[in-house]
Each structure stands twice: as structure tokens, then as C-alpha cells.
Amino acid sequence: MAVLSRKLWWQWRIILVALTVQLSVLAGGEYFKPFNVTYDHRALIIDGQRRMLISAGIHYPRATPEMWPDIIAKSKEGGADVIETYTFWNGHEPVRGQYNFEDRYDIVKFAKLVGANGLYLLLRIGPYVCAEWNFGGLPVWLRDIPDIEFRTDNAPFKVEMQGFVEKIVELMRAESLFSWQGGPIILLQIENEYGNIESSFGSKGNAYMKWAAEMAVGLNAGVPWIMCRQVDAPEYILDTCNAYYCDGFRPNSPNKPVIWTEDWDGWYTSWGGRIPHRPVEDIAFAVARFFQRGGSLMNYYMFFGGTNFERTSGGPNQITSYDYDAPVDEYGLLSQPKWGHLKDLHAAIKLCEPALVAADSSEYMKLGPMQEAHVYRGHISDRGQNYTLYQSCSAFLANIDEHKSASVRFLGRVYTLPPWSVSILPDCQNVAFNTAKVGAQISVKSVSLDIALPREGSLLPQMKTEDIVAPNLESWTSWKEPIGPWGDNKFTFPGILEHLNVTKDLSDYLWYKTRVYISEDDVLFWEQNQVKPLLNISSMRDVVRIFVNGKLSGSAKGHWVKVVQPINLSQGYNDVVLLSETVGLQNYGAKLEKDGAGFRGPIKLVGFKNGDLDLTKSSWTYQVGLQGEYQKIYAVDESENARWTTFPPGSTPFTFSWYKTHFDAPDGTDPVSLNLRSMGKGQVWVNGHHIGRYWTLEAPKDGCQNICDYRGAYKSDKCTKNCGEPTQVWYHIPRSWLQKSGNLLVIFEETEKTPFDIFVQTRFSKIICSKVSEDYYPPLEIWSSTSYVKNGVFSDSDIVPVMKLKCEDGYSISSIEFASYGTPHGSCQAFSLGNCHAPSTRSLISQACVGKNSCAIRVSNSIFGDTCRGTLKTLVVQARCSSTSGSSSAM
Ligand SMILES: *[C@@H]1O[C@H](CO)[C@@H](O)[C@H](O)[C@H]1NC(C)=O
Ligand SMILES: *[C@@H]1O[C@H](CO)[C@@H](O)[C@H](O)[C@H]1NC(C)=O
Ligand SMILES: *[C@@H]1O[C@H](CO)[C@@H](O)[C@H](O)[C@H]1NC(C)=O
Ligand SMILES: *[C@@H]1O[C@H](CO)[C@@H](O)[C@H](O)[C@H]1NC(C)=O
Ligand SMILES: *[C@@H]1O[C@H](CO)[C@@H](O)[C@H](O)[C@H]1NC(C)=O
């Protein structure tokens, strides 16, 4: 199946040059020559030219500034033209009127990095952003403003919202970050998916939406504004699509281009949930369909998801990792083959860009019952030195049949389309890419078993001594958190107060304590009837722990669930202590100011001889937070505030303990994580940096798919992983938060788990695998590289698929563990030889690749020999990457 024919291509290549972004040397502070952004029905018009744009979603506070350059570079290398981010109001204005634009919240630094990389920025201000971020990004102090109602036609809310939006726009203007100032910002967003909840507010909803639009535009930022999921957006605001698929989306006006602000390439995860996975063949299909059917700007939500450090994760119950199954993983490593396959897709779309922008609309051709083509034709002016007109043509052929492949005839040729796939033909004849054929390598992520934390000399049996990079045998110490109110700042109130009204979200924890008197009659009644009194809580979120007389009676978790807990009460006075815990405040929905946390409705003791005891009106003593939090015993300077005692193995653990130790950083630059599989629930700090909440709640035992079939419409419960395993085991410790040795690790643990099996581990891609068949497409570079063209014709011998292997930076290929050109079977880490096998494969691949960071191998009989003539052959390679010590090897 020779996909590339002996065709004239050269005209085509010249055209490409015209559309590359010009990055010349510019005046200080400017990243581009100042340019304006407008739009028409087809696309954004950037500096006078329509553009087809690929955007990569990265949320700056979900990584450290030290990680930003690498993540942005990986986005650019993956084919992004634009970086997209929300802004995070509650991070920037933690206290009303007191702003934070430092460190992970240094949005100016982030925006400048984007510009310095020659990328554009789509800034989604919100300032309600959802984002699986605590309280959807809204500051919790907003709740305390008298008469406030969020996100509706409410004066107090509008004042605060406008204040923040203005603050951001003025900051960007002052830093010259808008396009017309030579900065990267090309688009702004106001509000976020407001259309989803607008009807909850009646006519006030529409009035608020219009106000928000007018307010935003009134700030004269000089670039267009968008509203996502807002079908009634005003004419002067672009309405955009957020979904798994947006190829059928049409904006609410024929004058607006088709923009996809959130292409959900994965999904978020909740504690106790399965891990979502969206197969790359389906994402590529969705993206290709979008551009096929007239789309012009697509943003991956997320391209890099990152980490919800501190207590920033949203609720209910969202986990600390925000990996999102994104092309760049939580640690900043490439997630393969996702990243590589999408990179190829983007390159193929870029090849079509001249025709896509030249045509005002596509020609539609029905190719079969579930097969269709869209063809873009137009005259292209080469804006190089010489003004020339070219006729260009690009086409997308889709097979939306979920089950069967199809052969279709298009412009006189026959094409085979795998099920649920799109072939991209940049010249309307030759296939450059098919969404279902993955040629990118797979990377198998490993974690080191390297560094044991103090374990009094003993090692886990599977650990080899040479793997212990930094043994540090200083012991653990512990300190017991008091159960119940502990401080001078506790207070007493007759009745149950709402959780957030008391904590202001300064801590997850709120203690409630009351005292009940039990008579001899009651005890006799229970003994005679062999029953126990019950504590009934009408409704509660997210976690409650119930202590009676200092002992834990039970715990419950859920989202506005009823709790019924049998308890032991003795004759006389009994202390009843409830600990209410939040695990991320609600981030989605209308009227969040009323959502609150903790308890709702009556709390009763039931099962008494003379009826129930209503505790709702009892006198309760309140205490916000933990004593250890209050005294900052996790901070480097303050950790001595606690009276730590040594905690040798075998010690009796308590519920609610703090543990402390020191550890040395693993050598090298690989990302570092903390393995908390052996723990229960709590929070963790390293050198005073809050790593986040942890919880080893397990995903359900079933409901995961062993085989993930990419075909058919994706939903977040399709292709899930991790059944029966803790939802999150590893917790990212950014390298920049570590020093070489003596790093302070402090853990607050709520259950009776002990810290002896905590490990510090590094993460890297040790094994890479790739599989490329003879009938795969030649590399996309062929379309723009003169070396393949001889006299305007592709020479046959050059037009062969190429397998590319690449280790992470700092690694090189140390060995070829499997290699076969022929008909090998199996999948990565389980390959085996087939009937047909070229015996020289392994030595040839070793010669080409070992010792190198990356290598490319032509998949062709001319390299490996034609062992079994007439059989379609596949090259399969499994290689091992090892750390390149010292200088990196030459390629
Ligand atoms: C952008 O548009 C404004 C207003 O129309 C105009 O004054 C300015 O010169 C334009 N800038 C560029 C770089 O085209
Ligand atoms: C443009 O035209 C000039 C003069 O006709 C010629 O010398 C030059 O090679 C042309 N450049 C290109 C890129 O075709
Ligand atoms: C929280 O406090 C506010 C006043 O600050 C009050 O209006 C509201 O009713 C309280 N919420 C609950 C659930 O008690
Ligand atoms: C307490 O919970 C139990 C178990 O659900 C129920 O039978 C009982 O009616 C509840 N009592 C009250 C007063 O809510
Ligand atoms: C109640 O006390 C009994 C006997 O001491 C004990 O076995 C049981 O675990 C206790 N139950 C609760 C809920 O505390």
C-alpha cells in the first residue's frame, strides 16, 4: 500500500513557509511585533491572517515556576501554538484586598515564558473557573460579604468580580502582555460555562451574563473575549464549546469562528475512584473531526494537568494529583504514545493550514453510509519574496463507523479507513496521517525502588543495596494531636454552626464537642434490650469522625449523606466529639455560597428509653483546625514547637499522629515522589511546602476495562484503570522544594497507620517500545523537507515509514531488549517472535541506537532484508533507557 505516490509536491512545500510565525529580534519586553487579533466566521485573524491553532492547557499553580519552562517547551514541541490557562482568584487574593502574584501564582512570569517561547496565550480569567479547584477559584471570604449571591445579578458579587477581573487585565496591560503590545495574549475569557447554570437564576441569570460581557469588553483589553458554553452570548463575545467532541458545534452567530476551549483529553479523579484514561486514537479522531468540520482553534484540557498542591483540590473529594491522563504527565514526563501521536496529528493539520484558511468553507462529499469527506480548496498567496498564487487542496476523510473499516473512493482513488478514524490528506491525494494508526512510541513509566526512609536498618526484601541512593537512618519521631478542642481560641455556642462559617476554610478540620448525661435507667434499658444508642446525623459532607470519651467510635464519608453510628455511652457524663473534615470545597454548581460544608439538619442520639436526645440545641465547644497546623510544626523553623518523641518500629500508633523525619534527595534530576501506599489519610509537608492531602481509599474492585477499545464515543467511565488499588499512591515533591540532604518530612496521619513503609522514589521512563509496520506513513517531515524530493518527485526508496525512539532528556538507550522485523506478536514488555523474523534486526537496531538519546530507523526491506516475501512486515522494538552519567552521548 504505497501511500505516497510519485507526485509533484514542491509547490505545496513553498506555501508552508508563508505561514510560520515570524520571530525576529524585538525590542526589550516584546515577544512579537505588536499585532491585532480579530476574527471572521472561519478563524481568528492574527496580524491579518486567518490561523488554525492548537492550544495546550496548563494551569500555572499546578506546577512550580521551575517546571514551567520544560512543560511549555514540551507543549511547543508537541505542536502547540497557544498555551491556555485559567486564573485562580482565591490563590491571587487569599485575603480580601491582599494580593499574591508570587511563586506558583506569578502569572506575569508564566505569561512572559509563554511569549518568550513564541507561543500565544489564551487567558481564561473567569474568575469563577470550576477547574476541579477549591471552591471553583472563588475566595471563601466572599461568603462573608453581606447579601452576596454568587454569579448572578447581585451588586456585592459584581463589585468583587469586577475588581478582580480589572486587576488581572490591568496587570497584563502594565506588563505589555497583550498582542497589540507585542505580548502573547490573543484571547480572554469571562465567566465559565455559565450557560450550564444560568436558568437557576431566572431572569437575573441573563442579566448577569450580559453585565459580565459588557464589563469585560469595557475594560478595553484590545483582544476578543470568549464565553464558553454560553449559547446566548452577545454578538461581540465569542461563544465556544467544551466537551469530548465539538465537531458538531456551531457558534450562535454566522460571524463567529468555531472554537473548542476544552477538549477533554482525559478526566479528573476522586478519592476512591478509578483512574480515567482516554485512548489517544479517540482524541485524535475528535480533533481531526473538529478541523474537518470547520473548527479553527482547539485547546487540550489539559495538555499538562499537574498537581493540586496544598489544599487547592476541588470538591467533592478530588484527589491531589491532577494528572488528567494528559499528554504531559503530572511529573512533567511525556505520556506516550499520547504525546507523540498528537504531535504527529498536529503536524498533519499544520500541513493543511494553508488550504484550511484559504477556503471560506468546505465541500462536503458523502463517501458511504458512515463515511464522508470535507475538502478545503483555495487560492493561496505566498507572502514570501515573490507574490504567487497557488491552488491548494486539503481533505479529511472520516469513517465514523465504530465497528468496521471501510474502503472509500475519493477523487478517483481508493482509501482504506480504519473504524472510527480520520485520514488527513494535505494535498487531497496522499494520506499523511490516520487517527487510528499510532506510530508513536510507548513509554513505560517506572518508579525507582531507591530510597527507603528510616527503617532502623532493615530493608524491604526486594531492594538491592546498590539501589539505596541515600539511606538515612535517622529515626521517625511522633507527636500526638489532641482529640477535641485544644486551644485558648476555642469557643462555645448553643447549637450546630455551619462548618465554613467557622473555619473560613483556614483548615480542613473543625472540632465539635458536647457532653451528655446518661442515667442508670438508660444503661439498664440498653442492657436489657441488647441494643446500643445511635448517633444520627441527618446530613453531612465530606468526612466525619465520631469520638466518645476520647475513643474513635466510627467514621463516615460522603456527599450530603446520613450517618448512623452505634456508640458506647456509660453512666454519668460522656464527651461526644465530632470532627468535621472538608476534602476540597465544592467547585461546580449554582449558589455555591449556600453549599457550605459539615453538617445539615438535626444531630440526635436515639434509642433511649424516654425518646431521642436532640443535640442540635446542645451547647457545643468549637475549635478550628489542628494544634499542629496552628503551631506550624511542619515548617522548618517551627517544627520544634511540638514535643516530638522517638517512634521506633513496634510502637503503638495512635489515631491523629504527626510524624517527622529527614531524608536526602535522590541524586539526579528525575522527578521525585513520595509513596504513601502504607498510610491512611492525612496531609504531608516537605521542608514546609504543603505537598497536599493524601488518602489511600481504594477504587472499586470492578468496572475497569482490561482491554480498552478506542472505537466509539468516549465517556469518563470508559477505559478506566486501577480497580481495587488506592486511587493515589504517589505524591509529587517538586525538585525545587528539595535540598541535597536533610529534607524535613512531616506527616499528619488520621488513622493508626505508621510511617515505616513510606518511600521516596524517582520516576522515569525506563522501557520504551515502538511498533511500526511497512504500510505506516512516511514521516511527516517528508512533506516539507527537500532532501526527500528529487526533481519534484518523491523517490520511492526514500518514502518509507520511520521508527523513532527517544529516551527522556538525560537518558540514553542502553540496550535493545527485543527487536524483530517480521511478524512479531504481543505488546510492550510481552513481545515474542512470529513465524517471520529478520535475524539481524537486533544487531542493526543496537548499532543505530545504543548510547544515543534518540534514534530513527527506516522500516524497510532494504535495511533488514526481505525475509518472507509477500508478507506485510512490522518492526517492533523494546529498548531500555538508562541515565546518561556525565556528558550526554553524541547522536
Ligand atoms: C491595531 O488596531 C488598532 C485599532 O484599529 C490600530 O490603531 C493599530 O495600529 C493596530 N495595530 C497593529 C499592529 O496593526
Ligand atoms: C523571486 O524573484 C526573484 C526575481 O524574479 C528571483 O531571483 C528569486 O529567486 C525569486 N524567489 C523565490 C523564492 O522564488
Ligand atoms: C453562615 O453565616 C451567615 C452570616 O455570616 C449566615 O447568614 C448564614 O445563615 C450562616 N449559614 C449557616 C448555614 O448557618
Ligand atoms: C436514626 O437512624 C436510624 C437508622 O437509619 C433510623 O431507623 C431512625 O429512625 C433514625 N432516628 C432519627 C430520630 O432520625
Ligand atoms: C463498645 O464497647 C465494646 C465493649 O467494650 C467494644 O467491643 C466495642 O467495640 C465498642 N463499640 C464502639 C462503637 O465503640
Side-chain angles (χ1 to χ4, degrees), residues 532 548 551-554 565-569:
K532 270 194 189 163
V548 177
K551 280 221 170 85
L552 183 68
S553 295
Q565 177 64 45
I567 57 174
N568 290 339
L569 294 169

Side-chain angles (χ1 to χ4, degrees), residues 609-626:
K609 193 176 178 183
N610 301 317
D612 304 337
L613 193 57
D614 188 352
L615 300 180
T616 317
K617 295 282 177 282
S618 301
S619 178
W620 290 87
T621 300
Y622 290 84
Q623 174 85 56
V624 176
L626 307 171

Side-chain angles (χ1 to χ4, degrees), residues 14 382 384-388 390:
I14 295 167
D382 172 9
Q385 297 102 328
N386 300 335
Y387 183 86
T388 328
Y390 296 102

Side-chain angles (χ1 to χ4, degrees), residues 517-528 570-572 609:
Y517 183 78
I518 300 300
S519 69
E520 203 178 343
D521 279 359
D522 291 324
V523 176
L524 270 175
F525 172 77
W526 296 326
E527 280 173 7
Q528 280 162 6
S570 355
Q571 192 189 329
K609 193 176 178 183

Side-chain angles (χ1 to χ4, degrees), residues 248-315:
F249 172 77
R250 292 295 167 264
N252 64 6
S253 154
N255 304 319
K256 300 177 185 179
V258 181
I259 295 178
W260 189 359
T261 29
E262 292 187 13
D263 172 354
W264 301 327
D265 51 13
W267 200 241
Y268 61 86
T269 312
S270 304
W271 298 113
R274 305 173 190 91
I275 309 275
H277 168 62
R278 186 173 181 193
V280 70
E281 295 91 335
D282 176 59
I283 305 167
F285 173 76
V287 173
R289 288 289 285 160
F290 176 74
F291 285 100
Q292 168 167 17
R293 298 183 65 195
S296 66
L297 189 170
M298 182 276 321
N299 173 59
Y300 290 105
Y301 189 101
M302 307 292 302
F303 201 77
F304 162 84
T307 309
N308 295 311
F309 295 113
E310 306 176 309
R311 299 186 304 108
T312 59
S313 65

Side-chain angles (χ1 to χ4, degrees), residues 345-357:
L345 165 70
H346 303 151
I349 291 170
K350 286 286 135 160
L351 290 172
C352 303
E353 186 174 5
L356 290 176
V357 299

